[in-house]
Amino acid sequence: MINNLFKLLENKFVPLASKFGSQRHLLAIRDAFISIMPLAIIGSLAILVNNFPISSYQAYMLSLFGSKWASFSNYIYSGTFAIMSLLIVFSISYNLAQSYDNDPLLAALISFSSFIITIIQADAQSFRIPFRWLDSSGLLVAILVGILATEIYVKMMNLIKARKRKVKGAMTPILNRYFLALIPTTTIFFIFALIRLFFAFLGIENIIAEIYSLIQLPLMGLANNLFTALFIVLVGHFFWFLGLHGTNILEPVIQTLYLPALQENIQAASNNLPIPNIFTKPFFDSFVYLGGSGTTLSLVIAIYLFSNSKRKRDLMKLSSTQAIFNINEPILYGLPIVMSPVYLIPFILTPLILTLSSYFAILIGLVPKTIALVPWGTPPIISGFLVTGSFAGSFLQIFNILIGVLIYFPFLSLAERIKEGG
């Protein structure tokens, strides 16, 4: 029966999930967020430097640099995390146009300008850009504009190329290419100016604020609860179990929902306000995916402590260093965990249990909420401290790793008794 179920999943579900995971627009969104990660990480860590919760540190920095010392980190934040929507609209358009084998830079520039046209506000004296809303609050608008503007650009440029229209004269090829792009560019700007005018007729001056309150904020509220977090963890690990890259498939959803939640936390921390959100992207990266998906760092430790299989122990020697940096493909495919009935339960159960343990540890105040973004490959203990600004985050990681070892142990013993893979 189990074999029949696996065969059904392999024949029906895997091709569908693979198609979903390779969908062009989702890939563009995923790659866009990956592209801006270095900037987002630096911006969030700058705020952590400002708000490190040790009074002696704060007093020392104040005495060393004076009352304006915090401005240094605020400048960095304002040029990174605070303009996330501008970065995303450019990056999405670039990646999407590149996937169509069109000029990615020109498409990104057109999308960037289209976004400004869409969100610009008018008052009695002048036009102005609503800088306050260029952070994660404008992500949904940025994503929509980036995709729509690029799709129009690509289709119009392909139509022009298909008709093999060439500008007569002695212009260089690059000037010829950009001159031909005048028609698509003019059309795109015209469309987004009409969209902006339509909202103005409706009495809506701040489009981002309107869409944020109507759509993005409710979605974030829906995402920031325990049941949604458990569902996302479950689905991602089910994809991994089938041999699909669950993290990449769900990355556009996770980034769009949980990066804004982190930004709310960062802003609250910088203003000395209560931190609002438990579930953020670093919550999952630092407290659930320890050693990678499935919390396989716990499995590595369990094998070192309890396994008698030479093959397994040799594999762990080769892959344990990668596991410390949250790279676990050698374990997933080499043990293997993928499509293995014995490891199905612990591989999915462990991250679900750790989501619960981390949630309640933060909920009752044992561990601070996350206020910083760190590279996903940051080793445990270090990452726990950095994302919370507290050693309590590191202790939670150690606790979660031990829970994972206890969960994996009986299934590891079962695998060795039936001599599965070892």
Side-chain angles (χ1 to χ4, degrees):
M1 182 177 177
I2 292 178
N3 289 335
N4 290 336
L5 176 61
F6 281 3
K7 188 174 294 184
L8 177 65
L9 291 172
E10 188 174 358
N11 293 335
K12 302 294 183 181
F13 183 79
V14 171
L16 181 64
S18 298
K19 187 175 181 180
F20 177 81
S22 60
Q23 206 279 328
R24 186 189 304 271
H25 301 90
L26 293 178
L27 286 177
I29 295 172
R30 184 202 70 190
D31 292 343
F33 277 107
I34 292 174
S35 299
I36 71 165
M37 271 301 105
L39 285 75
I41 289 169
I42 294 171
S44 68
L45 290 178
I47 294 299
L48 180 61
V49 169
N50 270 16
N51 299 276
F52 201 66
I54 298 178
S55 56
S56 58
Y57 163 82
Q58 295 288 342
Y60 175 75
M61 296 297 286
L62 186 63
S63 65
L64 193 62
F65 298 109
S67 59
K68 295 291 186 180
W69 78 273
S71 297
F72 179 80
S73 294
N74 287 332
Y75 294 148
I76 297 174
Y77 176 82
S78 297
T80 53
F81 230 113
I83 57 166
M84 187 183 300
S85 295
L86 291 178
L87 301 174
I88 281 294
V89 71
F90 188 94
S91 189
I92 283 178
S93 181
Y94 188 98
N95 285 289
L96 183 57
Q98 194 170 50
S99 74
Y100 282 117
D101 199 25
N102 265 266
D103 189 328
L105 179 59
L106 182 56
L109 292 171
I110 293 170
S111 295
F112 185 92
S113 294
S114 300
F115 182 66
I116 299 299
I117 292 170
T118 305
I119 68 171
I120 203 163
Q121 292 180 259
D123 53 32
Q125 284 78 33
S126 62
F127 290 88
R128 59 188 178 86
I129 297 173
F131 186 84
R132 149 70 182 84
W133 295 91
L134 294 183
D135 56 14
S136 62
S137 304
L139 280 180
L140 187 56
V141 177
I143 290 171
L144 294 174
V145 171
I147 291 175
L148 178 59
T150 307
E151 284 291 335
I152 297 172
Y153 165 77
V154 168
K155 284 178 171 52
M156 292 192 70
M157 287 300 292
N158 287 343
L159 183 63
I160 292 173
K161 292 175 183 177
R163 294 182 178 181
K164 297 182 179 180
R165 291 179 57 187
K166 293 186 178 180
V167 178
K168 295 181 180 180
M171 286 191 292
T172 63
I174 188 169
L175 286 177
N176 183 59
R177 184 168 77 249
Y178 284 117
F179 190 81
L180 288 178
L182 282 175
I183 296 175
T185 303
T186 303
T187 303
I188 292 168
F189 289 167
F190 185 81
I191 290 172
F192 282 98
L194 284 178
I195 292 173
R196 182 66 192 88
L197 189 61
F198 172 76
F199 279 99
F201 278 128
L202 294 179
I204 299 173
E205 276 301 317
N206 193 327
I207 295 175
I208 293 180
E210 194 73 19
I211 293 180
Y212 179 80
S213 61
L214 289 177
I215 301 176
Q216 190 169 329
L217 192 60
L219 284 176
M220 288 171 57
L222 179 65
N224 226 291
N225 68 72
L226 179 59
F227 296 106
T228 305
L230 290 171
F231 178 75
I232 287 175
V233 170
L234 174 65
V235 172
H237 283 79
F238 184 67
F239 281 143
W240 265 118
F241 177 74
L242 296 177
L244 303 168
H245 201 301
T247 306
N248 282 351
I249 292 174
L250 294 181
E251 192 72 5
V253 176
I254 293 173
Q255 294 278 14
T256 304
L257 294 179
Y258 291 112
L259 207 55
L262 174 64
Q263 175 146 19
E264 287 187 354
N265 287 6
I266 293 172
Q267 289 175 337
S270 64
N271 295 310
N272 295 315
L273 298 173
I275 310 299
N277 300 306
I278 292 178
F279 295 110
T280 63
K281 189 175 188 305
F283 172 93
F284 297 102
D285 291 342
S286 299
F287 299 130
V288 179
Y289 306 143
L290 297 160
S293 296
T295 321
T296 47
L297 184 57
S298 295
L299 177 58
V300 170
I301 295 172
I303 289 175
Y304 270 125
L305 293 177
F306 307 114
S307 176
N308 295 317
S309 167
K310 183 178 183 303
R311 191 190 74 85
K312 286 188 176 72
R313 294 178 71 86
D314 288 343
L315 176 63
M316 292 309 106
K317 290 176 183 178
L318 294 173
S319 57
S320 56
T321 302
Q322 295 98 309
I324 292 173
F325 293 94
N326 301 322
I327 300 170
N328 67 345
E329 280 81 358
I331 301 171
L332 294 177
Y333 297 104
L335 192 57
I337 291 176
V338 170
M339 298 297 284
S340 169
V342 175
Y343 290 111
L344 168 62
I345 294 177
F347 181 73
I348 293 179
L349 180 63
T350 303
L352 290 175
I353 295 296
L354 299 193
T355 302
L356 289 170
S357 65
S358 304
Y359 170 76
F360 286 112
I362 295 174
L363 182 67
I364 64 178
L366 292 176
V367 178
K369 295 172 183 174
T370 54
I371 57 170
L373 185 66
V374 298
W376 61 267
T378 305
I381 300 178
I382 298 174
S383 61
F385 172 76
L386 291 176
V387 299
T388 61
S390 169
F391 286 109
S394 301
F395 290 131
L396 176 59
Q397 289 183 310
I398 295 171
F399 177 75
N400 282 352
I401 290 171
L402 293 177
I403 290 178
V405 172
L406 293 176
I407 296 174
Y408 271 110
F409 168 67
F411 295 93
L412 176 63
S413 300
L414 175 63
E416 298 207 346
R417 281 202 301 272
I418 63 176
K419 300 185 183 301
E420 177 180 307

